[in-house]
Amino acid sequence: MSEPSIFSRIMAGEIPADILYEDEDCICINDIQPQAPTHVLIIPRKAIARLADATAEDKALLGALMLRVGDIARKLGVDDAFRVCINNGERAGQTVFHLHIHLLAGKSFSEGSLSMQ
Ligand code: 5GP
């Protein structure tokens, strides 16, 4: 069995984090290395490694996570302009293999910033 992810360890209270919100589905924390003035991670409690590993069983959970993104954006006053990102797989920049949604706001995003090398 694989080691618990850093996010599972945060949820278990083993590692401190700046928690903005939590409920039975997810936890929302500030990213430790923010890439924008607002950089929140929305993380399901269920340890799904990658988005590509989610199944039909996770349909309601994935919906709940997306709705939570909007709620957090409104709570932080950035709902007029934010970007959402999910990195899936090492070659796409995923470093923590526990599904999470990045919510980024507070800087201008150029169209080109979605480019991949
Ligand atoms: P990924 O690269 O997998 O899409 O995103 C992982 C994110 O988790 C990165 O933005 C990284 O800064 C963040 N991160 C990694 N370890 C920790 C941690 O211990 N605490 C917090 N708050 N964020 C972390």
Side-chain angles (χ1 to χ4, degrees):
M1 200 162 145
S2 60
E3 292 281 299
S5 71
I6 192 103
F7 296 154
S8 289
R9 297 188 64 202
I10 287 172
M11 284 181 240
E14 294 170 15
I15 294 175
D18 190 4
I19 299 171
L20 301 178
Y21 175 86
E22 58 183 320
D23 64 18
E24 68 277 14
D25 289 327
C26 73
I27 186 168
C28 305
I29 61 173
N30 280 320
D31 197 291
I32 204 165
Q33 281 189 297
Q35 304 299 312
T38 296
H39 187 170
V40 177
L41 303 173
I42 292 87
I43 310 163
R45 290 195 185 276
K46 183 175 177 184
I48 301 165
R50 308 171 307 164
L51 180 61
D53 299 315
T55 67
E57 191 183 291
D58 303 312
K59 189 173 174 179
L61 174 61
L62 296 179
L65 294 175
M66 279 299 167
L67 291 173
R68 187 57 54 203
V69 170
D71 286 346
I72 293 288
R74 273 189 297 279
K75 186 174 166 186
L76 297 178
V78 298
D79 50 307
D80 60 323
F82 64 85
R83 180 166 282 183
V84 165
C85 174
I86 298 175
N87 297 321
N88 183 98
E90 208 171 300
R91 285 189 299 119
Q94 186 174 4
T95 57
V96 178
F97 285 79
H98 182 140
L99 176 64
H100 52 283
I101 301 172
H102 295 260
L103 162 57
L104 298 143
K107 68 175 194 177
S108 57
F109 298 101
S110 67
E111 287 175 34
S113 61
L114 274 182
S115 66
M116 295 176 80
Q117 287 160 355

